[in-house]
Amino acid sequence: MTRGILIAGNESSLSVAIAAEATKRVEHFASALIPNRLSEQIRKDAGTPSIYGKQPADPLPDGAALPLQWNPGSPIAARTLILAAENRLEHIDEAILVCTPPAIRRRAAELSPADIEIMVNDHIKGWFFLARELAQLFHAKESGTLALVLSDMGAGGRDDPVDLLGPAAAASFRAFAQSLLSSALDEPYLTMGFSSSEIGEESAFAAFVFKLIDEGAKRNNGKWHKFGKLNLFNR
């Protein structure tokens, strides 16, 4: 029986790397992307790669990602997403939540109220709703792996405006993940946290994440695993 892997997060180089590692283990995986509803100029500035093969450098086989619709700010949408993933995969064994918030390099006075609301709904509230549904699923089946992956790979030059919203969303994810890890020992499924600040090492980081997921060791449950260059020798 093949593994059922669900990957959720916004499009980024780390999401592409995580997806590429998934294709080394399964023919298909379910993918739920946070829709990019930010203002047009911010979307243009991002220029992120796609896991759906829309860019030439994309390493994924055609059709590997099974796209699912997701409105992160809705608790009903989170439940619908889980049901859709189970329908496409037959079962969910591993859920990998990839937090790489988009940068909004604007001064406080220049922030759009709409962009602020989108960041809070999609990149903060969304994780709470989705993690809740996954926790209920894995608790009921008494098995599964919940992987919480955070990118600490900051970008931008010294003279660029400060990113006011991205770090706040990342900090919220980290705090929420840490709380989930603290309660993991009372659960019948595995919960692991991962982070990296190594710029340009997304592929190695993704391999590190899947290495520990593949092991499925109880000793890794409830722990935050920090990736660094020394981990390259342990792959």
Side-chain angles (χ1 to χ4, degrees), residues 162-176:
V162 174
D163 177 10
L164 294 181
L165 300 184
S172 173
F173 182 88
R174 179 185 288 277
F176 180 48

Side-chain angles (χ1 to χ4, degrees), residues 178-231:
Q178 192 61 61
S179 295
L180 291 174
L181 294 172
S182 297
S183 62
L185 296 181
D186 296 327
E187 299 291 351
Y189 57 89
L190 298 180
T191 303
M192 292 183 283
F194 300 89
S195 64
S196 172
S197 57
E198 299 287 346
I199 298 175
E201 296 291 344
E202 290 86 353
S203 294
F205 180 32
F208 172 70
V209 170
F210 266 99
K211 176 179 179 291
L212 294 183
I213 291 176
D214 292 344
E215 288 177 359
K218 284 287 188 181
R219 68 176 182 275
N220 293 324
N221 186 37
K223 294 182 179 179
W224 194 279
H225 305 275
K226 177 73 173 179
F227 173 78
K229 289 185 177 179
L230 292 177
N231 299 120

